[in-house]
């Protein structure tokens, strides 16, 4: 019964009236999914080093409140670090198609790996290696296609669940996350090179 309702319905104009402006009219529908995982509630793993640290977890990619697991780890001062992260799911008999996201202390995404980018023996178990400075970092394990910071992916700072991941009904599904770090203070340098001629007569 408001002026806006009359104007929107076309009741005041020369054209056809679209709906009765005195009655409720549905103009849209939405679903409240609830909050997702955030870096403020990430599971702390402490300082990681040269000994592989493995933590077990489970995901239900189709449920917003349990579609992502976030973990916090620290790299100590005094070195630059080569960090390795890997998810084991298919290789341990889990049907989970997982993805990995690495974030800095503010939640800014540094790298992602989706299901299908793993080793040839277990391509659906993603892994990544990256050089990092000392400090605090976060790693997120989620379902395929639900990558932090990408379109349709989850937001680890605001806790907005991802909407673009692959449907994986029947969860929760178990997984294991492995982390390792080794000091990597020396820059990469060229040791040798040779010229490979396709035609030996040229």
């Amino acid at each position: 019964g408001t002026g806006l309702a009359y104007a929107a319905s076309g009741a005041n104009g020369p054209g056809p009236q679209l709906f009765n402006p005195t009655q409720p009219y549905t103009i849209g529908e939405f679903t409240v999914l609830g909050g997702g995982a955030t870096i403020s509630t990430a599971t702390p793993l402490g300082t990681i080093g040269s000994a592989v640290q493995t933590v077990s977890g489970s995901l239900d990619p189709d449920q917003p409140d349990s579609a992502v697991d976030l973990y916090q780890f620290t790299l100590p001062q005094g070195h630059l670090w080569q960090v390795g992260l890997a998810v084991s799911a298919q290789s341990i008999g889990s049907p989970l198609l997982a993805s990995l996201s690495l974030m800095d202390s503010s939640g800014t995404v540094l790298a992602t790996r989706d299901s299908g980018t793993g080793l040839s023996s277990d391509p659906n178990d993603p892994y990544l290696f990256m050089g990092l400075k000392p400090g605090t970092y976060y790693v997120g394990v989620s379902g395929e296609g639900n990558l932090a910071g990408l379109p349709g992916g989850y937001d680890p700072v605001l806790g907005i669940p991802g909407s673009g991941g692959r449907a994986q009904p029947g969860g929760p599904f178990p997984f294991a996350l492995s982390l390792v770090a080794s000091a990597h203070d020396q820059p990469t340098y060229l040791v040798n090179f040779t010229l490979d001629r396709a035609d030996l007569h040229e």
Side-chain angles (χ1 to χ4, degrees):
T2 65
L4 178 61
Y6 276 93
S9 71
N12 294 334
Q17 185 171 319
L18 301 177
F19 57 87
N20 184 345
T22 65
Q23 300 298 318
Y25 186 77
T26 300
I27 59 174
E29 295 180 342
F30 61 90
T31 301
V32 178
L33 296 177
T38 66
I39 59 174
S40 63
T41 59
T43 301
L45 300 179
T47 301
I48 65 171
S50 57
V52 177
Q53 183 172 344
T54 300
V55 58
S56 297
S58 64
L59 291 182
D60 191 343
D62 288 359
Q63 299 299 320
D65 60 347
S66 56
V68 178
D69 269 5
L70 289 173
Y71 300 89
Q72 180 194 73
F73 67 90
T74 302
L75 297 173
Q77 299 293 325
H79 295 284
L80 297 176
W81 299 93
Q82 179 78 3
V83 174
L85 307 169
V87 174
S88 299
Q90 304 269 306
S91 58
I92 62 172
S94 172
L96 176 67
L97 298 173
S99 65
L100 267 176
S101 298
L102 174 64
M103 294 143 277
D104 66 12
S105 59
S106 65
T108 300
V109 179
L110 302 176
T112 61
R113 295 292 185 274
D114 209 355
S115 178
T117 62
L119 297 173
S120 58
S121 56
D122 293 293
N124 289 322
D125 288 353
Y127 71 96
L128 67 84
F129 285 92
M130 190 169 185
L132 296 173
K133 296 178 180 179
T136 299
Y137 296 89
Y138 298 91
V139 56
V141 181
S142 53
E144 180 181 3
N146 187 13
L147 293 161
L150 296 182
Y154 67 95
D155 187 320
V157 177
L158 300 178
I160 300 173
S163 59
R166 175 174 177 168
Q168 298 188 57
F173 306 121
F175 70 86
L177 172 67
S178 298
L179 309 91
V180 66
S182 59
H184 195 72
D185 296 326
Q186 297 300 321
T188 302
Y189 61 94
L190 180 65
V191 176
N192 193 10
F193 74 94
T194 59
L195 182 61
D196 183 8
R197 292 183 178 273
D199 187 343
L200 298 178
H201 299 290
E202 291 186 0

